[in-house]
Amino acid sequence: MRLTNTAERYGAVAQTLHWVTVALFAAIFALAWIQDGLPLSPEKIRLINLHKSVGVTILVLAVLRLVWRWYSAPPVLPAGMAGWELQLAHASHVALYVVLLAQPTIGILHSAAANFPVVVFGLFTLPALIDPSEEVKVILGQAHYWLANAILALVAVHVLAALRHHFVVKDAVLKRMLPAVGKGKGG
Ligand code: HEM
């Protein structure tokens, strides 16, 4: 399987970045849900630190994806799709990239406003980009919460669209984001 994208399908790099991001998204939502239910304890702090580390990883992967997308153009959508469908697909991908960048950034700024460090997997600490502030902390905390809900809705629409392409329209949109099985080199 080739590394770069072709006009017909995503290559190994874009696919790996996509599916690793999906796994990290599942992990970060699970962490948020578990940590929210815990009383303040070393275990809760440990999970919050892990949540932050996964968020920073998602941010780095989003930047890498955009760089890769610029270097290797994504496949074109099937010719049979209506104009509104093409626009919706494009808008939803833009929205996904916006939230992939915005949500971790808000989380990082929220930590700085709350005067807590962001220690990435115990390896290094991100510089605090803003000064501690109770007011800013509350605003960013609310934004992080509401954006999380918006992301769930956006991802639900995205997944339903992928499943509709596969099972209803029966085109190759989902398959081209999956490793090509049983096809020759570059398939
Ligand atoms: C089970 C869950 C998911 C499925 C089945 C899925 C499926 C797909 C498929 C089939 C495409 C390619 C669409 C095309 O060919 O134009 C795609 C692209 C994309 N997906 Fe997902 N996806 C899932 C979850 C996610 C999640 C959680 C995110 C991020 C929050 C995400 C972000 C994106 C982005 C940004 C693209 C555009 C890639 C590009 O062209 O640069 N996906 N997804």
Side-chain angles (χ1 to χ4, degrees), residues 103 106 110 137-150:
Q103 184 71 334
I106 292 171
H110 176 260
K137 181 191 101 173
V138 171
I139 294 170
L140 292 176
Q142 291 280 319
H144 202 61
Y145 173 78
W146 287 110
L147 197 53
N149 288 316

Side-chain angles (χ1 to χ4, degrees), residues 25 28-29 32 51 99 103 106 141-155:
F25 246 82
I28 207 163
F29 272 95
H51 178 110
V99 298
Q103 184 71 334
I106 292 171
Q142 291 280 319
H144 202 61
Y145 173 78
W146 287 110
L147 197 53
N149 288 316
I151 291 170
L152 286 179
L154 194 58
V155 169

Side-chain angles (χ1 to χ4, degrees), residues 77 81-95 154 157-158 161 164:
L77 284 161
M81 279 171 70
W84 66 267
E85 279 184 294
L86 295 172
Q87 281 173 359
L88 207 61
H90 180 69
S92 66
H93 288 175
V94 171
L154 194 58
V157 171
H158 178 68
R164 175 179 169 271

